[in-house]
Amino acid sequence: MIRVYKIVALLVVGFTFMACPADDSPSSEPLRDYQEVYDEELVEIENFLDTHYVTVDADFNTTFTEIPDGGTQTPISEMPELTHIPVTLNDVDYKVYYLRLNEGNNENPTALDSVYSSYKGQLLDKTVFDHASTPIWFKLEEVIPAWGKIFPLFKTGDFVENTSTGIVSYSGYGAGVMFVPSGLGYFNIEKALIPAYSPLIFTFSLKRLRYRDHDGDKILSKYEYGPDLAEEAIDTDGDDYYDYLDVDDDADGVLTKEEVKFTYVDGTVTKTGYYPYTGKSTDDPLTPYDDRRGIPRKFTGPIVPPSTLPSPASDDSDFTDATRLRRHLDKTCKPPYTN
């Protein structure tokens, strides 16, 4: 079924088949059978992994070298860092190999989010077709499919900015290499140095990320799409608008962002805030509101500070119970709210 979005701007959300910007206009070759092409390319990719070794420097830059006759270097195919995931697209079950050079320390993006990445793109003959040593922001929805599958397997690290020079230093960030069949890349598109039907190698690092809110309803899209970004996104009210693109998730006539709003007093000033989808594990004493409270269910009890509640606290579970029906998804629950 074709979905019609409630927000006109979101009509342009699509897939660009681009992993990185380029000035050249693409051309295309006649369309071939996806399975036939993949069967050929899997042999090429696995042969590359069997016949090459990789050297990695302290910044996770990579150099691929063919193992000479009689060489004792460890082929990529035998590295413990090499693994693969299954990806199904266009009725083809792909095996996507990747090297986990460093997992990262902090947060994983989802395929709906933006990543700040440095990268190098190569063909199997090691021709470099693109390179960004300085990180660039990418929306994972707008790049080749493989990026949206592999980047979420890595985490961001830490960064420190030198206030006098403006130079940002990164540490502990995720870094890896993905080996991409053309069916998860450009397929029959020929662009710049990339011939049609070319498997690709991307060495990349995940420096930072931005969680996105596609419909601006104050709930991150990663919470509204569904568990593990299931193939079919969530449509709570069955109105043919996915929740992450729906400004009224339960079709009760009240905008979602109004249902997740609360007010609090900061000194003598009444201000507005928005409940996080899930509250923090500990309260930040510097904020005048309780950070532990996520979006509540339809509230039925008195408001008391969680610190004064017994454990378990029945009324506080209105904010914290993992299985609760949050009020923006409950069309029987409308403002005005007591909390």
Side-chain angles (χ1 to χ4, degrees), residues 87-288:
V87 175
T88 300
L89 186 65
N90 295 315
D91 297 321
V92 177
D93 295 324
Y94 292 96
K95 179 188 290 186
V96 185
Y97 287 99
Y98 69 97
L99 282 170
R100 190 187 299 273
L101 302 179
N102 193 55
E103 181 177 3
N105 296 338
N106 292 327
E107 298 177 304
N108 299 88
T110 74
L112 296 174
D113 298 316
S114 298
V115 296
Y116 192 53
S117 172
S118 52
Y119 65 90
K120 178 174 66 175
Q122 298 174 261
L123 305 177
L124 291 186
D125 66 5
K126 291 168 282 187
T127 297
V128 176
F129 59 81
D130 201 2
H131 182 233
S133 56
T134 299
I136 299 174
W137 281 105
F138 292 100
K139 295 177 181 178
L140 287 177
E141 289 174 284
E142 298 180 0
V143 293
I144 62 173
W147 279 41
K149 298 296 184 180
I150 298 298
F151 267 88
L153 304 176
F154 291 80
K155 299 177 182 179
T156 57
D158 301 298
F159 65 92
V160 176
E161 182 175 1
N162 186 312
T163 55
S164 61
T165 65
I167 296 175
V168 180
S169 300
Y170 296 92
S171 62
Y173 51 85
V177 183
M178 65 179 87
F179 302 88
V180 182
S182 68
L184 298 175
Y186 301 98
F187 201 54
N188 67 320
I189 303 298
E190 179 179 339
K191 189 169 179 65
L193 296 176
I194 305 173
Y197 304 112
S198 292
L200 307 174
I201 304 171
F202 283 103
T203 300
F204 62 90
S205 61
L206 175 56
K207 301 296 177 60
R208 299 161 73 177
L209 69 83
R210 290 176 182 152
Y211 290 122
R212 298 178 63 201
D213 176 7
H214 286 68
D215 55 5
D217 65 357
K218 304 300 180 181
I219 301 177
L220 296 176
S221 296
K222 67 175 184 174
Y223 296 126
E224 294 195 284
Y225 194 100
D228 301 319
L229 296 185
E231 183 176 344
E232 183 72 5
I234 293 173
D235 176 13
T236 294
D237 52 19
D239 63 354
D240 287 345
Y241 307 120
Y242 294 135
D243 283 7
Y244 81 105
L245 301 172
D246 191 343
V247 295
D248 179 7
D249 295 328
D250 56 4
D252 64 354
V254 182
L255 294 178
T256 296
K257 68 179 180 181
E258 293 300 318
E259 297 192 271
V260 300
K261 181 188 294 185
F262 66 89
T263 59
Y264 62 96
V265 177
D266 188 0
T268 59
V269 180
T270 300
K271 296 183 177 180
T272 297
Y274 296 92
Y275 290 110
Y277 187 79
T278 300
K280 296 181 179 179
S281 58
T282 57
D283 184 36
D284 182 351
L286 298 180
T287 61

Side-chain angles (χ1 to χ4, degrees), residues 288-326:
Y289 49 84
D290 190 346
D291 302 274
R292 289 172 290 187
R293 291 186 161 176
I295 299 172
R297 60 160 63 97
K298 186 175 181 178
F299 194 75
T300 58
I303 297 295
V304 293
S307 59
T308 67
L309 294 171
S311 182
S314 58
D315 57 351
D316 193 47
S317 70
D318 284 308
F319 297 86
T320 59
D321 178 14
T323 64
R324 70 191 183 279
L325 178 62
R326 291 168 173 84

Side-chain angles (χ1 to χ4, degrees), residues 52-99:
H52 287 74
Y53 68 95
V54 61
T55 52
V56 185
D57 68 16
D59 294 321
F60 301 108
N61 298 306
T62 58
T63 301
F64 299 102
T65 307
E66 188 169 6
I67 300 173
D69 290 340
T72 59
Q73 295 88 350
T74 301
I76 299 169
S77 60
E78 295 181 12
M79 294 176 63
E81 296 87 354
L82 183 71
T83 187
H84 62 81
I85 59 169
V87 175
T88 300
L89 186 65
N90 295 315
D91 297 321
V92 177
D93 295 324
Y94 292 96
K95 179 188 290 186
V96 185
Y97 287 99
Y98 69 97
L99 282 170

